[in-house]
Amino acid sequence: MLSYPQLSPSPEDVPELLRPAIEKCRDEAEQLRRLPDEFIDHLRANGAFRLNAPRELGGFELPLATTAALIERLARIDGPTAWIVWNLNAGFSAAFLSEVNVERVWADGPDLILAHSSQPGQLVPSENGFRLSGEWKLVSGADSAQWLGLLGLVLDGGQPRMTEAGPDWRFCLVPRASVTVQDTWHSTGMRGTNSNMVIAQDVPVAADMTVAPDSEARIDRPLYRVPVINQITSGGAAVVLSLARAAIDEVAALSRTKTGPDGVPIAQQPRIQAAMGRASARVDAALALLLTTLGGLDAAAIAGRPTTEAERGGVRGAFAHAGETARAVLTSMYELGGSTALYESSRLGRLFRDGHAAAQHAVLSAANYELAGRTVIGVPAGDPTL
């Protein structure tokens, strides 16, 4: 099997190793609407895209909760960078591919950039596999990717093909050269994420280059027993909570110098103190819930047992709670910051814009409470994405 050596730095050191470069280029990324190419190269050189790749490929193979905690630390420095690191960490897919396909996809080295999208396209069966077509909006880091993992819904006679678990859908690995990326990312927040639209038109995909939600991993180790959907979706909640925490830090620093009409720093006002205490507790609680529920999936994988609907539903509830908490805290901090947050130069203003943009991701929607609630009640979830 293809193998690469691991990097010597511990993955836990990655956020601080990257801090100087992130702080240097985050304003440029805001203007470019993407991370600069040289910074992407710097991320690769420091192992930022090896978080969940198998050890055989030089990957860190981190547990799900550990990766989320690392992404959270990165996002305190810069949300768009952390978002890109999350969306381009799809190395776990190597555990589900044949060795021949791994050698093909990872041929150029261990630091593969593989962007993914969970919006569905169309997969039409063909003689040698499938033909993939569709439009995938908001594929973060698409222009930087060497490969893409695009969700496709298998059609049979123009209708979704059904399995016992629901519609038959697969993540399809396709080379970047086989698709078109349209420059559609003109946003008010998370500008540096290069979240453009990807278009595929009748792209051939071999059956063994697809990964279904119930696929059994070739590499039988704990990380690759975690459901595929959770491998893909867990980073966004960590990012939005970290942006909310960064906003709290900004207002805390501001409150020590910004004065009220009486000339006294607003940090001494009970109203400000209570708002800060409440916001901090909410973010800490939401992050603890996120890491605890993800840790539950890790524990089940280590024990070698399938996760339950209730455990997976708890994760989805934690995602919705993270989005809800981040929106409330970011709004509160923006209000406390007063006119300071209005200016383009304001770090608080950017955190507000980035956080609300990130919280628009579907997996952070309050609609996920419904799915989580069904698993609490004991009603079948009835959702193949769970």
Side-chain angles (χ1 to χ4, degrees):
M1 177 180 174
L2 186 69
S3 65
Y4 293 110
Q6 286 193 335
L7 293 173
S8 54
S10 166
E12 286 74 18
D13 297 333
V14 167
E16 288 307 313
L17 284 172
L18 294 174
R19 178 184 288 275
I22 293 173
E23 292 179 340
K24 178 181 178 181
C25 82
R26 62 190 177 193
D27 288 342
E28 182 183 359
E30 175 90 355
Q31 295 300 317
L32 292 175
R33 296 181 291 116
R34 59 175 294 162
L35 302 187
D37 290 340
E38 61 272 19
F39 180 53
I40 290 285
D41 291 339
H42 187 70
L43 292 175
R44 296 179 72 180
N46 284 277
F49 304 123
R50 300 191 188 195
L51 302 185
N52 53 33
R55 294 192 294 269
E56 292 86 344
L57 294 176
F60 296 125
E61 204 171 314
L62 299 179
L64 207 58
T66 303
T67 294
L70 190 154
I71 294 293
E72 191 273 339
R73 289 174 55 209
L74 267 178
R76 290 203 196 188
I77 308 170
D78 184 54
T81 297
W83 194 270
I84 285 292
V85 169
W86 161 45
N87 204 57
L88 299 187
N89 259 286
F92 69 87
S93 58
F96 296 86
L97 300 178
S98 68
E99 292 189 11
V100 171
N101 283 331
V102 168
E103 290 182 1
R104 176 188 174 199
V105 176
W106 270 263
D108 293 331
D111 298 293
L112 176 71
I113 299 182
L114 200 168
H116 69 265
S117 173
S118 54
Q119 293 182 358
Q122 298 180 347
L123 267 180
V124 177
S126 66
E127 183 177 352
N128 298 315
F130 301 95
R131 312 290 293 191
L132 177 68
S133 299
E135 296 181 351
W136 292 263
K137 299 177 181 178
L138 308 175
V139 185
S140 299
D143 272 323
S144 300
Q146 298 156 287
W147 286 76
L148 295 110
L150 302 174
L151 183 66
L153 183 65
V154 180
L155 300 182
D156 187 358
Q159 298 299 317
R161 187 161 77 187
M162 303 302 292
T163 69
E164 291 183 2
D168 185 356
W169 57 269
R170 325 273 183 94
F171 277 94
C172 307
L173 270 69
V174 297
R176 165 65 178 83
S178 68
V179 302
T180 300
V181 178
Q182 282 194 352
D183 182 10
T184 55
W185 188 237
H186 298 268
S187 65
T188 56
M190 298 294 280
R191 286 174 55 84
T193 61
N194 181 223
S195 299
N196 284 319
M197 178 186 290
V198 171
I199 301 172
Q201 184 63 46
D202 215 27
V203 174
V205 183
D208 61 359
M209 288 292 284
T210 69
V211 179
D214 58 351
S215 295
E216 185 174 336
R218 174 178 53 84
I219 299 175
D220 185 22
R221 290 197 293 266
L223 178 60
Y224 308 121
R225 298 174 194 150
V226 173
V228 170
I229 193 66
N230 294 113
Q231 297 274 6
I232 293 167
T233 57
S234 300
V239 172
V240 294
L241 289 174
S242 187
L243 289 168
R245 168 57 63 186
I248 293 170
D249 293 342
E250 284 294 313
V251 174
L254 178 66
S255 71
R256 292 189 289 268
T257 58
K258 188 179 181 71
T259 60
D262 56 2
V264 177
I266 62 172
Q268 298 184 28
Q269 296 181 17
R271 174 182 68 88
I272 301 295
Q273 296 164 358
M276 297 294 285
R278 182 180 299 109
S280 183
R282 293 185 71 175
V283 171
D284 286 348
L287 181 60
L289 176 63
L290 174 67
L291 298 181
T292 297
T293 56
L294 293 177
L297 301 188
D298 289 328
I302 291 170
R305 66 169 178 81
T307 56
T308 65
E309 275 204 344
E311 287 172 323
R312 300 192 301 276
V315 170
R316 292 290 278 272
F319 290 172
H321 186 248
E324 181 178 75
T325 299
R327 292 184 199 95
V329 168
L330 287 162
T331 299
S332 174
M333 294 303 101
Y334 189 85
E335 291 173 350
L336 293 182
S339 60
T340 301
L342 298 175
Y343 296 93
E344 290 184 353
S345 60
S346 169
R347 171 87 171 133
L348 178 58
R350 184 182 298 183
L351 289 166
F352 177 82
R353 295 190 300 275
D354 284 350
H356 277 281
Q360 293 296 94
H361 195 291
V363 80
L364 303 175
S365 166
N368 286 286
Y369 278 133
E370 298 174 15
L371 177 58
R374 290 198 291 275
T375 68
V376 171
I377 296 168
V379 176
D383 190 326
T385 68
L386 183 61

